[in-house]
């Protein structure tokens, strides 16, 4: 912005200087030439007054001494020079003056003024005054140099003023940009400072008000997440303790039910922990630690979901034979993502569901596919709140899966629309593998 302000100011000054300096330069030239002709005419008139009318009969003709750089000469009607300095024979200016006119002309490298000498209504001679054109030209160049110096000075002052004004205008905008960058980097306390420019101050106030509202909104959301999670922890812990105490009872028929309920409670507790981790650590740098073998994770997930699909009369097939046996992944978040994808296939898919794993050397690809056909734009599936037409969903599951995958440095994509296939890509660092 600073450079643009300076360029605009300099361009405006240059246009003004051109519009003023060019006519002024022409005026200087015309004025200096006119002044020199006037000076020659005054000198010639002063000499004509002093000419003795009887100079043709032999009386001396006295001419005043010319100014520096000028020459004066007296010519008779026969164009012969009788006194002073000049060409031996009269030129066109002298011939014109013999007709009773004051002649102004330029002959060769001289400016010439010829004035008639009248006597008894007759022209008895001509006084010719001349000076070199170079003298006037030098004066013109000096005037133009002064004009150029003034123009350069004006341009310099304009540049200095423009740069100062550019700093005044750009500094608050640069400050606002720095604060905006700080906000992008996560500092929601950054606020733009007031400046001396009312319009920019208005933008800064609007920015600060927007940032305050955004910070309050984020604070309320985080407080809600933390409060809800905190309030869920206590009853979940109490439920687990109750179920664990029930396992100590001798009723053999009650024990399987309690074990299944305890497993669900623990799974719900892990879900709350993952939601809290995602809310408190949005950056990929805070990734969960790989803690579970892939084969173990798939077996646990199959046990959890097999009964639900069987209850709906649908088949769930887990292809665990292709899973690497020595690679660990973050069990909690990966299990949550697979749960979201399987629940999505159960609620919105059709036919059998197949889950498999592909080893891509530096990553693992978990595929969950069913026999249905995707009928909407794949990108819309991951928009929070988008549920499709009449499916009864909340529009949160796939968005949560996407965010959980991003927190692990991976991503969830629709790899096929027919049959519908979702793929979870998780990067794997081989140093995390079990040797």
């Amino acid at each position: 912005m600073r450079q643009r302000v300076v360029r605009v100011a300099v361009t405006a000054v240059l246009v003004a200087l051109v519009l003023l300096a060019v006519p002024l330069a022409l005026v200087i030239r015309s004025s200096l030439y006119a002044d020199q002709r006037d000076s020659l005419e005054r000198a010639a008139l002063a000499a004509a007054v002093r000419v003795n009318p009887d100079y043709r009969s032999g009386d001396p003709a006295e001419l005043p001494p010319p100014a520096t750089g000028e020459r004066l000469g007296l010519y008779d009607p026969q164009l012969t020079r009788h006194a002073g300095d000049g060409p031996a024979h009269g030129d066109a200016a002298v011939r014109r003056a013999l007709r009773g006119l004051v002649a102004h002309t330029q002959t060769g490298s001289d400016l010439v003024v010829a004035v008639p000498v009248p006597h008894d209504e007759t022209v008895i001679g001509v006084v010719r005054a001349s000076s070199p054109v170079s003298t006037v030209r030098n004066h013109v160049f000096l005037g133009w140099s002064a004009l150029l110096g003034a123009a350069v000075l004006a341009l310099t002052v304009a540049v200095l003023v423009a740069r100062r004004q550019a700093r005044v205008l750009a500094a608050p905008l640069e400050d606002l940009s720095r604060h905006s960058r700080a906000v992008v980097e996560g500092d929601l306390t950054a606020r733009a400072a007031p400046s001396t420019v009312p319009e920019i101050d208005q933008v800064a106030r609007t920015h600060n008000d927007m940032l305050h509202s955004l910070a309050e909104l984020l604070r309320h959301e985080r407080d809600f997440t933390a409060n809800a999670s905190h309030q869920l922890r206590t009853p979940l812990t109490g439920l687990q303790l109750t179920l664990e105490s029930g396992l100590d009872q001798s009723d053999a028929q009650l024990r399987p039910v309690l074990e299944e309920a305890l497993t669900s409670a623990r799974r719900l507790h892990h879900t709350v922990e993952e939601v809290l981790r995602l809310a408190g650590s949005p950056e990929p740098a805070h990734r969960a630690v790989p803690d579970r073998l892939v084969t173990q994770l798939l077996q646990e997930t199959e046990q959890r979901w097999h009964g639900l699909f069987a209850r709906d009369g649908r088949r769930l097939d887990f292809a665990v034979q292709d899973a690497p046996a020595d690679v660990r992944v973050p069990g909690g978040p990966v299990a949550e993502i697979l749960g979201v994808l399987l629940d999505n296939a159960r609620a919105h898919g059709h036919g059998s569901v197949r889950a498999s794993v592909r080893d891509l050397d530096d990553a693992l690809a978990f595929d969950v596919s069913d026999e249905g056909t995707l009928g909407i734009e794949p990108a819309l599936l991951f928009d929070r709140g988008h549920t499709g037409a009449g499916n009864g969903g909340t529009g949160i599951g796939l968005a949560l899966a996407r965010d959980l995958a991003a927190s692990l440095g991976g991503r969830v994509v629709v790899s096929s629309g027919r049959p519908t296939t979702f793929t979870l890509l998780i990067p794997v660092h081989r140093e995390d593998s079990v040797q």
Side-chain angles (χ1 to χ4, degrees):
M1 177 179 178
R2 296 190 181 190
Q3 293 181 353
R4 287 196 293 270
V5 172
V6 173
R7 282 199 299 268
V8 170
V10 171
T11 301
V13 172
L14 284 175
V15 171
L17 288 177
V18 170
L19 294 177
L20 293 175
V22 171
L24 186 57
L26 297 177
V27 169
I28 290 175
R29 181 182 183 279
S30 176
S31 176
L32 289 177
Y33 273 88
D35 288 345
Q36 184 62 24
R37 291 190 182 97
D38 290 343
S39 176
L40 292 175
E41 184 174 350
R42 287 193 299 270
L45 288 173
V49 172
R50 299 179 61 177
V51 172
N52 185 356
D54 297 329
Y55 77 94
R56 289 178 297 176
S57 61
D59 289 344
E62 297 180 359
L63 298 177
T68 304
E70 296 180 359
R71 293 184 297 173
L72 290 175
L74 176 61
Y75 293 82
D76 60 16
Q78 287 74 36
L79 303 178
T80 301
R81 188 184 70 197
H82 276 269
D85 191 9
H89 297 281
D91 52 13
V94 174
R95 288 193 294 270
R96 184 178 180 186
L98 287 174
R99 295 196 295 270
L101 302 173
V102 178
H104 298 82
T105 185
Q106 180 175 338
T107 302
S109 60
D110 291 335
L111 289 178
V112 178
V113 175
V115 176
V117 180
H119 180 69
D120 292 338
E121 298 182 358
T122 304
V123 177
I124 62 173
V126 174
V127 175
R128 181 183 184 275
S130 65
S131 66
V133 176
S134 59
T135 302
V136 185
R137 188 180 296 118
N138 291 337
H139 291 162
V140 171
F141 287 156
L142 288 176
W144 285 357
S145 298
L147 180 62
L148 179 61
V152 171
L153 177 61
L155 184 61
T156 302
V157 172
V159 170
L160 295 177
V161 172
R163 293 183 64 180
R164 181 181 181 278
Q165 191 64 26
R167 285 196 299 270
V168 172
L169 293 175
L173 291 178
E174 292 171 351
D175 181 68
L176 182 60
S177 176
R178 285 193 297 270
H179 284 85
S180 300
R181 176 58 58 184
V183 173
V184 172
E185 294 174 354
D187 183 10
L188 297 181
T189 63
R191 295 294 185 273
S195 66
T196 58
V197 184
E199 292 80 3
I200 298 179
D201 282 347
Q202 182 177 359
V203 175
R205 286 193 297 270
T206 304
H207 170 80
N208 291 340
D209 292 342
M210 177 192 66
L211 190 57
H212 176 74
S213 300
L214 179 62
E216 287 297 311
L217 178 62
L218 291 176
R219 184 181 65 82
H220 286 304
E221 289 187 355
R222 289 174 179 172
D223 288 348
F224 171 78
T225 302
N227 293 337
S229 300
H230 180 271
Q231 292 304 107
L232 283 173
R233 279 177 170 176
T234 301
L236 282 176
T237 302
L239 177 60
Q240 290 181 27
L241 291 175
T242 302
L243 294 174
E244 289 174 356
S245 63
L247 291 177
D248 295 333
Q249 304 299 323
S250 58
D251 193 339
Q253 295 181 349
L254 184 61
R255 185 176 182 84
V257 177
L258 291 177
E259 288 179 347
E260 182 177 355
L262 181 59
T263 301
S264 298
R266 288 171 178 168
R267 189 159 50 243
L268 183 58
H269 187 274
H270 291 324
T271 300
V272 172
E273 293 295 331
E274 285 305 315
V275 172
L276 274 179
R277 183 188 66 82
L278 184 62
S281 304
E283 297 181 2
H286 302 283
R287 297 174 185 169
V289 177
D291 59 357
R292 197 174 309 176
L293 292 172
V294 175
T295 53
Q296 178 186 355
L297 175 65
L298 293 177
Q299 291 172 357
E300 294 175 356
T301 304
E302 183 180 15
Q303 292 174 1
R304 173 186 174 188
W305 287 93
H306 181 78
L308 295 175
F309 277 89
R311 215 174 303 164
D312 295 339
R314 297 173 62 185
R315 179 180 177 182
L316 175 62
D317 181 19
F318 266 76
V320 298
Q321 64 274 9
D322 297 330
D326 59 346
V327 176
R328 293 181 182 269
V329 293
V334 173
E336 289 298 327
I337 298 171
L338 290 177
V340 169
L341 298 181
L342 289 170
D343 184 65
N344 182 77
R346 176 170 173 254
H348 308 296
H350 300 281
S352 300
V353 176
R354 176 181 173 83
S356 60
V357 181
R358 290 176 288 140
D359 189 353
L360 306 178
D361 291 334
D362 58 346
L364 291 180
F366 294 84
D367 298 317
V368 176
S369 61
D370 58 67
E371 298 176 354
T373 301
L374 191 63
I376 63 174
E377 185 69 25
L380 297 177
L381 293 173
F382 299 97
D383 290 343
R384 187 173 294 271
H386 182 85
T387 62
N391 57 15
T394 62
I396 296 177
L398 290 177
L400 175 62
R402 176 199 59 193
D403 295 340
L404 285 171
S407 71
L408 301 176
R411 57 196 176 101
V412 177
V413 297
V414 178
S415 54
S416 175
R418 185 174 183 179
T420 302
T421 303
F422 289 84
T423 300
L424 166 64
L425 296 172
I426 296 296
V428 174
H429 301 285
R430 292 300 171 177
E431 59 268 24
D432 295 331
S433 303
V434 178
Q435 301 298 330

